[in-house]
Amino acid sequence: MIGHFNQENAIAAGLACLRLGASLEDIKKGIASTRVPGRMEVLTQKNGAKVFIDYAHNGDSLKKLISVVETHQTGKIALVLGSTGNKGESRRKDFGLLLNQHPEIQVFLTADDPNYEDPMAIADEISSYIHHPVEKIADREQAIKAAMSVTDQELDAVIIAGKGADCYQIIQGKKEDYPGDAAIAERYL
């Protein structure tokens, strides 16, 4: 797991385990094998490009995620993002204003628990704050596939933000099965 916040969390967990009597060697092994589904998961495409999957679901968490990815990947960056329907509507403006500051990122707006709203109307609202072209693809799997198709070398990255490891989409008030962002991304590696 990359990112200073993950390093800080690992140190805190390690210190707590040490205090509870765990050996330093066991703590190292535990941290080395830790994987948190949906939190800064990193996959590698056949072409070497990285795919970062994270629950980032507001402007602040997305800003941190982009910053971490830009530190490690200096090529093209594609971002798959949506915003929930019928709640957290201020996030849409936050996302748009943030992404407007990153014209170098190729943005793919898509569904992310649209609930009773039209995912394309949500995408339109986010894009209204962005002054460079973005792609709008309602089907989240198709948006992920499209974003992964624009990366072609080791320094490139795809960021898939929002759903993380959630295995559902909330549509019309019901949780509908969804394989999860990592499972979708693995189909197109």
Side-chain angles (χ1 to χ4, degrees):
M1 296 178 69
I2 62 171
H4 293 300
F5 51 91
N6 284 320
Q7 293 166 354
E8 291 167 356
N9 289 340
I11 289 170
L15 289 172
C17 290
L18 194 61
R19 181 90 169 138
L20 293 170
S23 73
L24 194 53
E25 200 54 45
D26 284 343
I27 293 168
K28 287 180 184 178
K29 286 179 189 173
I31 289 172
S33 64
T34 296
R35 177 181 173 265
V36 181
R39 285 281 177 218
M40 286 305 289
E41 287 185 85
V42 182
L43 304 174
T44 303
Q45 295 184 67
K46 288 182 181 112
N47 60 23
K50 301 293 185 211
V51 179
F52 296 85
I53 301 163
D54 192 83
Y55 281 114
H57 64 281
N58 61 43
D60 185 53
S61 59
L62 183 61
K63 181 178 181 178
K64 289 176 182 170
L65 175 57
I66 290 170
S67 176
V68 168
V69 171
E70 287 178 332
T71 301
H72 295 276
Q73 302 299 118
T74 57
K76 286 184 277 190
I77 296 178
L79 169 69
V80 177
L81 176 76
S83 189
T84 56
N86 305 106
K87 71 174 192 175
E89 293 171 12
S90 65
R91 296 175 189 168
R92 301 169 193 181
K93 180 177 181 180
D94 294 344
F95 287 148
L97 293 174
L98 171 65
L99 295 173
N100 193 50
Q101 297 171 19
H102 291 275
E104 74 284 0
I105 295 177
Q106 189 167 351
V107 178
F108 294 82
L109 297 175
T110 191
D112 182 347
D113 295 338
N115 205 353
Y116 292 101
E117 291 189 64
D118 175 359
M120 289 298 87
I122 295 170
D124 287 343
E125 187 175 343
I126 295 169
S127 69
S128 72
Y129 299 99
I130 303 172
H131 304 301
H132 54 275
V134 301
E135 298 282 331
K136 298 174 195 168
I137 304 171
D139 182 279
R140 191 169 179 91
E141 178 170 353
Q142 293 306 309
I144 291 169
K145 180 181 178 183
M148 290 177 69
S149 75
V150 302
T151 57
D152 55 16
Q153 53 124 347
E154 204 171 292
L155 296 176
D156 294 346
V158 174
I159 300 170
I160 305 172
K163 291 297 297 169
D166 290 349
C167 290
Y168 61 86
Q169 281 272 19
I170 299 173
I171 300 171
Q172 298 300 312
K174 295 184 175 114
K175 287 185 177 181
E176 293 192 6
D177 288 342
Y178 172 73
D181 288 341
I184 296 292
E186 286 172 358
R187 294 176 185 172
Y188 302 105
L189 291 176

